Amino acid sequence: MSSKFENPSSAITRLQECITKQWRGITDAHLEFVARTCPNVEVLNLSLKQAERVMDEFERLGSDDIGDDGLCVVAMKCSNLTSVSLRRRKGIGDIGVIALIKFSQNLTVMNLAWCGKITDRALEAIAAANSLQVLNLHGCCLVTDWGLVSLATGSSSRTLKVLAVSECDRITDIGVSLLQHMSCIEELSLAECGPKVTDIGGVAVASILCLRRLNFSWLFNISDVTLLAVAQNCKKLVALDVTGCDITGTGIRSLANHESLELRTDNVVSIDGVAKM
């Protein structure tokens, strides 16, 4: 640790942002230090972006990492948190997330991408939040339809604007269909969620009228049926990714009236090309 953490000045208690992105060596003890010395922190970024190979080597060596104990202390001491990013922190689980939701009443952004211990239990707590606007669950492989049920029926269904559940391959049409009740969603990513997400879920999602960005990439059972529903209902859409989906020119041409739409398929990148097909 650097000397500024070993000998904190009184000014550190007034810090409004604590960004420790890319720090590999931090532990729960360091989080407890932050909690004691920066009680007014609002933004906590502990995300890791290293390649998976590098991360696996890090874990193999048995290096310490942050976990629920440290996160719980931060949650209890730093009640002003508005944004927390824990991407790829594999020691973080349900207990820490539940504590954040309980004590951080102004939390608007939560990034839990690739936190492999997160389950539906955490989503049940998240669903009770009444200020959350952005939730990233990309790669949280233990999340199931029950977690989506919680999100779609809880208080967060009325505040969430951005939701990513990409590569959550345990979810099916049952959970995805319920997302239509999240009437404030503007950005939704279901990329690579597996073969159990089909046109049934796709058509249900297409009923969210305020959608602006939608990612269905590599959902092999999404077809023209979904695109026709999207074209009919999602008039505000500015970006749509259907790369790897089972679509034809019929589905693509149905979007021709969407001005300035950025459409990503296996062959088409923008709506300009649709009119020429």
Side-chain angles (χ1 to χ4, degrees), residues 223-225 227-228 231 247-256 263 274:
S223 72
D224 291 344
V225 174
L227 259 65
L228 291 170
I247 60 173
T248 68
T250 299
I252 294 175
R253 283 192 294 271
S254 70
L255 296 163
L263 175 64
V274 175

Side-chain angles (χ1 to χ4, degrees), residues 85-103:
S85 185
L86 300 164
R87 180 183 177 92
R88 294 190 184 277
R89 291 293 182 178
K90 295 187 177 181
I92 297 298
D94 295 340
I95 295 175
V97 172
I98 291 171
L100 278 175
I101 295 299
K102 179 179 179 180
F103 294 104

